Amino acid sequence: MKKSNLVGALVMALLILIALPLGVHTSFTRLREEVAWEFYGDDAGFAIYDSIETREDAAHNMVTIAEKYTNQYPQLVDLASELEYWANASERSYSDTYQEEAEANRQMGAAAQALYQELRSVQLEERDMIYPDQLMAQMESEQDKIDRSSYNDKARAYNEKLSAFPFNLLRGIAGVSAMATFDSTDG
């Protein structure tokens, strides 16, 4: 009789050990999906992906302006290439935690700022002089909208839950990971 109680206790303990990470995975997958929906439309109806697409378009347009002047100002070549690289990376990025998208967006913003500063220091044709300012203002405006999106708050709250005890001990075996935020101040 004692042997069967021991076997029963071991089976029960094994089932609990299996159920715990599975339960954490299920709960956090559900929470992650709720946060992910915010990327496509937050509480105010704002979609981060729309603003990122607008930023990508502005970046490509800034590269086009710079390319008109690369023969005259070779220092624009590397800066334009860097911005083009990150705009393309942003367009191609995908991960279920948005890590790639957030990083590409940050790098695209930094590259745009660097190219913009250089474009302001060179002599552009009169018809092109307004475009760098307009494109940079558009990129900054869209980033401001992204910064204020409720997605970021919900992603941070999800990440805090994921980092709290006992979930922080189980997240690796439960197969759940943190969500990226898109704040320009977050790294």
Side-chain angles (χ1 to χ4, degrees), residues 43-67:
D43 297 341
F46 169 73
I48 288 178
Y49 79 91
D50 281 338
S51 279
I52 289 175
E53 286 179 359
T54 300
R55 285 171 53 84
E56 292 163 355
D57 291 344
H60 288 301
N61 289 335
M62 194 179 298
V63 167
T64 299
I65 294 295
E67 286 175 341

Side-chain angles (χ1 to χ4, degrees), residues 4 22 37 52 64 75 96 118-119 123 126 128 151 171 178 184 187:
S4 66
L22 185 60
W37 278 110
I52 289 175
T64 299
Q75 69 269 30
D96 63 345
E118 192 61 36
L119 283 171
Q123 183 62 41
E126 188 174 332
D128 292 335
Y151 164 88
R171 72 187 264 186
S184 58

Side-chain angles (χ1 to χ4, degrees), residues 74-160:
Q75 69 269 30
L76 294 174
V77 173
D78 288 342
L79 294 170
S81 294
E82 179 81 2
L83 180 53
E84 186 75 16
Y85 173 83
W86 285 111
N88 289 335
S90 179
E91 291 171 346
R92 290 187 308 268
S93 63
Y94 174 77
S95 65
D96 63 345
T97 60
Y98 303 111
Q99 299 293 344
E100 292 175 15
E101 292 90 333
E103 181 61 20
N105 185 56
R106 282 187 194 90
Q107 294 294 336
M108 179 174 56
Q113 186 64 40
L115 179 57
Y116 169 71
Q117 290 301 327
E118 192 61 36
L119 283 171
R120 291 199 46 147
S121 72
V122 300
Q123 183 62 41
L124 303 178
E125 294 175 13
E126 188 174 332
R127 65 181 178 183
D128 292 335
M129 291 173 71
I130 62 168
Y131 294 123
D133 289 337
Q134 288 177 345
L135 294 168
M136 197 65 219
Q138 184 178 27
M139 289 192 77
E140 289 171 346
S141 172
E142 293 301 322
Q143 184 59 49
D144 182 57
K145 292 176 193 175
I146 291 169
D147 288 348
R148 292 183 287 116
S149 172
S150 62
Y151 164 88
N152 294 307
D153 294 331
K154 291 188 178 183
R156 270 191 288 283
Y158 168 85
N159 293 342
E160 286 174 18

